[in-house]
Amino acid sequence: MSRIARVVYTARTATTGGRENGASRSSDGLLDIWLSAPGSARIGTNPEQLLAAGWSASFASAIASAAHERKIALPAGVSIEAEVNLNHGENGHFLSVQLDIAVPDLERDVVQILVDEAHEICPYSRATRGNIDVMTRIV
């Protein structure tokens, strides 16, 4: 486990209910959502969508950081489509993830280097390493 040198930011939410009939609100009120089970008719998002949004945003920032460290000019238009799968197996439910990364106007081998480095420094990738199967794909 890593030692904390300095807390950069703390997110606080309060959630009532669960994925079937819940709601979640951040302490600053900027996040205020209804929760619903995947595929339900109820209006709301689900935890897998929230993880996909957070992970893809964090991974894009990690790519930018890796490019900055290598002094590579990162073109505009970097995008990541994250797919978070809620699976069920013999030991219960588990997650798997696919990140489709698009970096226009940059050579594929350079993008691969940045993606590999981003996967090492992204807090979401680090937190889930060894616990979730993750596939990265350059598109």
Side-chain angles (χ1 to χ4, degrees):
M1 187 146 237
S2 298
R3 286 192 81 210
I4 297 173
R6 174 177 62 97
V7 174
V8 177
Y9 173 75
T10 300
R12 289 184 181 86
T13 61
T15 302
T16 56
R19 68 171 59 236
E20 280 85 31
N21 196 23
S24 191
R25 181 179 171 89
S26 61
S27 60
D28 61 8
L30 294 175
L31 177 72
D32 191 1
I33 57 170
W34 292 102
L35 300 171
S36 64
S40 86
R42 186 178 193 288
I43 294 174
T45 189
N46 60 65
E48 291 73 30
Q49 291 169 326
L50 295 169
L51 179 59
W55 200 331
S56 58
S58 181
F59 204 87
S61 293
I63 287 172
S65 179
H68 178 77
E69 284 294 315
R70 289 183 162 268
K71 296 179 179 28
I72 295 171
L74 198 60
V78 173
S79 66
I80 299 174
E81 289 189 21
E83 180 179 285
V84 174
N85 300 300
L86 176 61
N87 308 295
H88 189 268
E90 59 187 43
N91 293 325
H93 289 91
F94 64 97
L95 300 174
S96 60
V97 172
Q98 178 173 315
L99 301 174
D100 290 342
I101 301 120
V103 181
D105 304 322
L106 201 58
E107 294 177 22
R108 185 177 184 84
D109 59 333
V110 174
V111 174
Q112 186 64 60
I113 290 168
L114 296 177
V115 166
D116 291 345
E117 289 181 9
H119 197 48
E120 292 299 315
I121 62 175
C122 171
Y124 283 74
S125 295
R126 291 174 57 131
T128 59
R129 187 167 288 119
N131 297 311
I132 295 178
D133 289 333
V134 179
M135 180 171 57
T136 58
R137 185 172 67 167
I138 298 168
V139 295

